[in-house]
Amino acid sequence: VSHEMKEKSYDIPIPQHDLFPNSKYRYPFIRRTPFATMLTDFGCAFKCSFCIQSKLDFKNRSVSNVLEEMRYLKSIGIKDIYFSDQTFAFNGARAKELFEAMIAEKFNFGWVAFYRVDLVREDMLALMKKSGCHTLMFGIESASEALLKEYQKNIKLVTVRSALAQCRKIGIRTVGTFILGFPNETPQDIEATVQFSLDLPLDYASYNLPVPRSKTSLRTQAIAADLVKKEDLVMDQSGKHTTMGNKYLSREQLFAIRNNAIKRFYLRPTYIIRRLLSIRTWDELKINFADGFVLLRESFKSFG
């Protein structure tokens, strides 16, 4: 995807965040409450074939419209923002304009967003950090470059390592998301991805199972392999259930592998110590303990 592609722009009325009980919401990666969720673009400029977002018409909100919402969030006492864009700051020039304005207006928000490892640049990370970024989430998905190419993720493992190292150097926490159990993945392939995640300098890891969403190439492939039926339309993205098995493993086996990966990542003694030492606020301490309890409870459950 060319970063100079012609993009559409749009504005929206400012959402009425004050109508929600913001102080009661929790999100694993924020550092202070209350926090709010913002969307600054719609759809996705990339074409990962397991994701429906690339099927949507990609467009950006104007920077002036985004800043208007931020001023409102500041006025109602919001401290952290989760940018829910599929790939935040895709357009480098627009992102630079936004971050410089956030710094100039002294919003002092902390923020977290999804980003891509192949967009990471030292100068942009520095600007992100200065504007309040404390956490970036990256879709890494697999340790197999062949799979990453097959599903049009099109990133290299060396790029993953470089991006995470740059984030750690500048003091931005990182989250890696992974997909375990693509239709033709062997148990050995999946283990390689889990081991890769354990070797990376990640602060958090999210292990997911393939969801054959409507209109995606993954769904077409799953139907052709008789892993899912055309009439199967109920799918759970939360991780509480699995939609399908793959060529080598049943739904139950994939669910167990996923839960075991969670325990292997988060229950490492060195990880637990590092995580506790990284906590900077009372809000963050409460969030970590609450989420840790839920994580342990869910990961030890059997397949349902």
Side-chain angles (χ1 to χ4, degrees):
V1 177
S2 170
H3 297 181
E4 280 70 47
M5 65 178 286
K6 186 175 181 180
E7 299 166 25
K8 297 179 181 179
S9 183
Y10 71 104
D11 286 350
I12 61 171
I14 302 307
Q16 293 181 275
H17 293 274
D18 59 306
L19 298 181
F20 293 87
N22 294 302
S23 62
K24 296 183 179 180
Y25 289 112
R26 189 175 76 244
Y27 189 64
F29 311 128
I30 66 165
R31 293 197 126 157
R32 297 177 299 166
T33 59
F35 83 100
T37 298
M38 280 190 67
L39 188 70
T40 79
D41 66 34
F42 182 81
C44 187
F46 296 88
K47 303 298 180 184
C48 304
S49 60
F50 51 80
C51 182
I52 192 59
Q53 292 293 333
S54 63
K55 305 294 183 182
L56 304 177
D57 189 19
F58 178 68
K59 52 188 177 180
N60 280 314
R61 280 177 70 184
S62 66
V63 171
S64 61
N65 188 232
V66 173
L67 291 172
E68 184 182 356
E69 184 172 353
M70 287 184 175
R71 294 183 192 110
Y72 164 64
L73 291 176
K74 184 71 174 178
S75 74
I76 63 172
I78 295 298
K79 296 178 181 177
D80 258 41
I81 296 176
Y82 162 46
F83 292 107
S84 59
D85 306 30
Q86 289 299 302
T87 305
F88 186 59
F90 163 75
N91 180 313
R94 173 180 171 274
K96 186 173 184 289
E97 180 185 354
L98 175 61
F99 299 148
E100 287 178 344
M102 290 171 69
I103 295 165
E105 296 205 28
K106 299 181 180 179
F107 287 129
N108 295 320
F109 294 124
W111 60 265
V112 55
F114 274 101
Y115 203 40
R116 275 184 62 108
V117 295
D118 50 357
L119 295 181
V120 170
R121 302 289 183 273
E122 186 175 347
D123 58 340
M124 185 60 74
L125 283 184
L127 201 55
M128 287 178 162
K129 175 78 172 178
K130 191 174 181 180
S131 69
C133 177
H134 54 67
T135 308
L136 288 174
M137 299 179 282
F138 296 101
I140 299 170
E141 320 308 1
S142 175
S144 167
E145 290 190 353
L147 268 178
L148 293 171
K149 182 177 181 181
E150 177 183 349
Y151 289 98
Q152 296 179 259
K153 184 70 182 185
N154 296 325
I155 58 174
K156 301 291 186 182
L157 301 190
V158 64
T159 307
V160 172
R161 294 186 183 278
S162 173
L164 298 182
Q166 289 183 68
C167 287
R168 173 157 287 194
K169 180 180 178 181
I170 204 168
I172 293 176
R173 301 183 304 177
T174 54
V175 184
T177 68
F178 301 88
I179 300 176
L180 309 178
F182 283 110
N184 292 319
E185 267 195 298
T186 66
Q188 292 76 23
D189 294 331
I190 297 172
E191 172 57 26
T193 293
V194 175
Q195 190 58 57
F196 181 57
S197 72
L198 297 174
D199 293 340
L200 292 172
L202 289 167
D203 295 284
Y204 303 86
S206 174
Y207 301 99
N208 308 284
L209 300 172
V211 179
R213 299 182 186 90
S214 180
K215 306 298 184 181
T216 63
S217 299
L218 174 61
R219 181 171 181 80
T220 302
Q221 182 186 18
I223 291 173
D226 201 29
L227 299 173
V228 66
K229 304 296 183 185
K230 289 182 179 179
E231 59 270 22
D232 293 338
L233 298 175
V234 178
M235 300 169 206
D236 180 16
Q237 188 66 20
S238 71
K240 290 183 179 293
H241 306 281
T242 21
T243 303
M244 65 181 190
N246 75 357
K247 182 178 178 180
Y248 301 98
L249 297 160
S250 68
R251 296 166 66 213
E252 294 86 350
Q253 288 172 317
L254 283 178
F255 191 80
I257 288 172
R258 175 252 188 188
N259 281 0
N260 187 52
I262 293 171
K263 288 181 278 190
R264 289 171 64 186
F265 185 90
Y266 286 103
L267 297 185
R268 294 173 292 171
T270 53
Y271 173 83
I272 294 172
I273 293 170
R274 178 163 58 89
R275 178 78 169 267
L276 289 173
L277 292 175
S278 72
I279 293 172
R280 294 291 179 267
T281 68
W282 175 243
D283 287 335
E284 192 177 5
L285 179 66
K286 291 188 291 184
I287 290 167
N288 271 267
F289 273 98
D291 289 341
F293 173 77
V294 173
L295 183 148
L296 290 173
R297 183 188 66 196
E298 294 299 321
S299 66
F300 278 95
K301 280 184 178 179
S302 59
F303 175 80

